[in-house]
Amino acid sequence: MTDERKLPQLVMRLANLASLPALELPAGYHLRHFEPGDELHWEAIVEKSFGWSRDFGRRIASHPYYQPERVLFICDQEKPVATACAWEEPQWEADCGYLHMVGVDPAYGGRGLGYSVSLAALHRMREEGKRHAVLETDDFRLSAIHIYLKLGYVPAYEGSELEERWRQVHDKLNIPFIPRPGVQAATKPGKPDKPNEDALVLNERHRIYGVIDGVSSMTGYCDADGSTGGWIAAQLLARELGADTPQLELREAVLRANSQLMQRMDEVGVDTSEKWKRWGAVFAVVKVHASYFEYVQSGDCMLFARYRDGSIRVMSRNQVAGFDHQSLTALRELKESGTLTEEEISLRMKPIAIGNRNLANMPGGYSVMNGDPALASLMEYGHISLANVQRIYAVSDGMFHFIENDEDPRKWEKFLNELDVQGIKAYMERLVEEEELDPLCEKYPRHKKSDDKSAVIVELARINSSV
């Protein structure tokens, strides 16, 4: 072997073995697994393919996962000319297959045998119950990497060094390289002494980014650790969306968290027959692909896109703004009456709040993850082309509660311009300063002086410039 091996090796993942293409061998070839006496055939193919010798007994037969059925050959008549192992290694997940020792006799190159024997190994993995697959390879094995990409494998990398190595590989293969997006994110509690019920989603592996805003029960539930229902709900969803599992779909992850939330509430005795007693979470999350992005959204978390020409696309609707406006109007009228104590005002506002909470996941209300299966049809989701998209923004309502009911048609554009100019953290600090100047919520009507704040900005200029 004359090419220099770099460590760590490059890793590639195949997210789903469920939809593999059918195996079709070239005419005159057939597939079989290892038979006694094939040791020398395997060693000869490996030496011709890789340029170094390996002993079958030490390399393969002594492995704890070894079975003859997992070592495959494609044969020309009776002669084995290509091989691959449908393998498993302990450092990967239990349901993850490992494509191992793919080799083709160079005299049989150019006939698609590397692709076919690899696909045969993937079929074998699926038959054994594997759900996804991984492999390790070297930077200089360009022909093999091209085959793996054709099979549906995608590069997996962490850190700038591996990203640069993959960029060089793609350049040599003359295949567009899709870099990871740049991400700016921050979250800040509304009160330093209270749990932050917001959560960030920063899943680099799956390029999933967004914000979650927990919604606490009006009953004031807290567990033994002092965690509110809203915090628990937000963390359940953040865990599902931040998972490292090979296959992660946005909508399905939300629905799994929704079911888990209902189970969690049932376990601690929450009366879920009354919606206003439930915990919940609203969210705005995207998953970035090579040429488009998916999104899921509910409640008053918001999603925006900025295009290269500077134009802004509002991709979501603040579903609770109208209900907030009604309740804030009622609150103002009660205060202006001048005849009611704070306690009396609170008692009169409670039925309004309960009524609004009971509109959760109703056609005339708004969507929220609160354990209700109706979320499946009422949350917003879809996909949007990345063509000319420069940035995607996901923000929780604490970032914009000053302008929640502003009638200025350019309010979102102005808001995003400020975020771009100041940056998320600086914008948050300035917002806190303004909240302190309006502690009674008179200049900017809102339900509390300061709310939890979260924002994620996904910078896509690097991606679009590479496509």
Side-chain angles (χ1 to χ4, degrees):
M1 181 175 62
T2 58
D3 295 287
E4 181 182 356
R5 166 172 282 182
K6 297 180 181 179
L7 295 176
Q9 284 188 286
L10 299 176
V11 175
M12 302 183 74
R13 286 183 176 268
L14 181 60
N16 186 4
L17 292 175
S19 56
L20 294 173
L23 177 62
E24 298 179 0
L25 297 178
Y29 296 87
H30 68 275
L31 176 74
R32 66 171 175 82
H33 61 70
F34 178 89
E35 297 174 355
D38 279 333
E39 293 88 347
L40 294 179
H41 292 136
W42 184 89
E43 291 169 1
I45 294 172
V46 167
E47 184 169 3
K48 292 176 182 177
S49 298
F50 296 98
W52 32 250
S53 60
R54 287 291 186 271
D55 181 82
F56 181 85
R58 289 196 299 268
R59 185 77 175 189
I60 300 298
S62 63
H63 194 283
Y65 193 67
Y66 169 71
Q67 290 181 8
E69 295 80 5
R70 293 169 177 158
V71 181
L72 302 174
F73 293 99
I74 290 178
C75 301
D76 176 14
Q77 303 301 322
E78 298 304 317
K79 178 185 178 182
V81 296
T83 186
C85 296
W87 221 233
E88 178 180 294
E89 292 291 349
Q91 66 266 38
W92 309 107
E93 300 90 341
D95 61 350
C96 180
Y98 183 84
L99 184 59
H100 187 42
M101 299 304 293
V102 179
V104 179
D105 185 332
Y108 289 82
R111 307 182 195 189
L113 299 184
Y115 174 90
S116 296
V117 76
S118 298
L119 180 57
L122 295 175
H123 275 275
R124 177 69 197 181
M125 295 175 198
R126 185 174 66 182
E127 291 168 6
E128 295 190 4
K130 304 299 184 185
R131 295 179 58 240
H132 45 94
V134 68
L135 64 83
E136 294 172 286
T137 189
D138 298 306
D139 306 53
F140 57 84
R141 301 194 187 281
L142 299 178
S143 297
I145 291 173
H146 184 76
I147 289 171
Y148 303 145
L149 291 169
K150 186 177 178 182
L151 285 166
Y153 276 91
V154 296
Y157 52 82
E158 295 291 340
S160 57
E161 180 182 349
L162 286 175
E163 182 172 346
E164 179 56 32
R165 285 169 62 185
W166 273 115
R167 183 189 298 277
Q168 293 175 14
V169 168
H170 280 70
D171 287 346
K172 292 174 182 176
L173 290 171
N174 197 27
I175 296 173
F177 175 72
I178 311 300
R180 289 180 296 176
V183 178
Q184 179 188 164
T187 185
K188 185 179 182 64
K191 293 183 178 180
D193 59 338
K194 297 291 184 181
N196 185 353
E197 294 182 327
D198 277 11
L200 297 173
V201 180
L202 302 171
N203 188 333
E204 290 289 351
R205 175 177 175 184
H206 293 287
R207 299 183 181 186
I208 297 175
Y209 311 100
V211 298
I212 304 168
D213 184 358
V215 181
S216 285
S217 166
M218 288 180 61
T219 62
Y221 172 88
C222 284
D223 66 11
D225 297 323
S227 300
T228 64
W231 185 91
I232 294 169
Q235 293 301 315
L236 280 173
L237 182 53
R239 184 181 65 193
E240 283 297 321
L241 290 169
D244 194 37
T245 52
Q247 188 175 4
L248 182 56
E249 301 298 331
L250 281 185
R251 187 169 179 272
E252 286 70 17
V254 171
L255 296 180
R256 282 196 302 272
N258 192 48
S259 297
Q260 293 167 15
L261 180 59
M262 178 60 88
Q263 181 179 351
R264 189 74 170 270
M265 289 187 289
D266 287 340
E267 288 172 353
V268 299
V270 173
D271 179 9
T272 56
S273 66
E274 300 281 358
K275 289 187 179 181
W276 63 276
K277 295 180 180 179
R278 295 187 181 195
W279 319 334
V282 293
F283 48 87
V285 183
V286 300
K287 180 176 183 178
V288 180
H289 297 265
S291 58
Y292 67 97
F293 66 92
E294 300 174 78
Y295 67 91
V296 288
Q297 183 272 340
S298 74
D300 52 7
C301 288
M302 293 290 288
L303 284 169
F304 310 91
R306 183 186 293 278
Y307 289 82
R308 289 183 180 180
D309 63 2
S311 60
I312 297 298
R313 181 173 183 174
V314 181
M315 297 185 298
S316 60
R317 175 178 175 269
N318 184 345
Q319 300 173 25
V320 302
F323 306 112
D324 278 345
H325 181 66
Q326 292 172 6
S327 60
L328 288 171
T329 299
L331 178 62
R332 185 188 71 246
E333 291 173 350
L334 290 172
K335 288 182 175 180
E336 289 177 350
S337 70
T339 61
L340 300 173
T341 65
E342 288 296 324
E343 183 179 357
E344 289 172 327
I345 291 174
S346 179
L347 287 173
R348 295 198 184 190
M349 287 299 299
K350 186 173 181 178
I352 297 175
I354 289 175
N356 286 342
R357 288 292 186 98
N358 286 337
L359 291 171
N361 296 314
M362 298 288 287
Y366 53 91
S367 62
V368 58
M369 190 194 85
N370 67 351
D372 188 344
L375 175 66
S377 58
L378 289 171
M379 70 174 170
E380 298 197 350
Y381 62 95
H383 77 272
I384 292 177
S385 168
L386 278 178
N388 295 308
V389 175
Q390 185 180 32
R391 297 185 191 93
I392 301 172
Y393 308 78
V395 295
S396 66
D397 68 317
M399 293 291 291
F400 56 81
H401 59 174
F402 281 1
I403 62 171
E404 187 174 22
N405 294 295
D406 197 324
E407 296 182 358
D408 184 348
R410 296 186 61 231
K411 67 179 183 180
W412 296 122
E413 180 183 352
K414 293 177 180 178
F415 166 61
L416 298 178
N417 287 344
E418 289 297 315
L419 269 184
D420 286 344
V421 170
Q422 298 181 38
I424 296 174
K425 291 184 178 180
Y427 182 90
M428 286 180 176
E429 294 303 322
R430 185 184 62 80
L431 190 55
V432 170
E433 292 174 0
E434 292 189 31
E435 290 169 343
E436 291 296 331
L437 296 174
D438 184 34
L440 300 180
C441 307
E442 295 175 338
K443 182 178 179 180
Y444 299 104
R446 56 200 191 280
H447 288 292
K448 49 189 168 183
K449 183 182 77 171
S450 183
D451 198 2
D452 300 333
K453 302 167 181 63
S454 295
V456 175
I457 301 176
V458 183
E459 184 69 49
L460 296 164
R462 294 169 66 229
I463 290 179
N464 279 331
S465 63
S466 300
V467 176

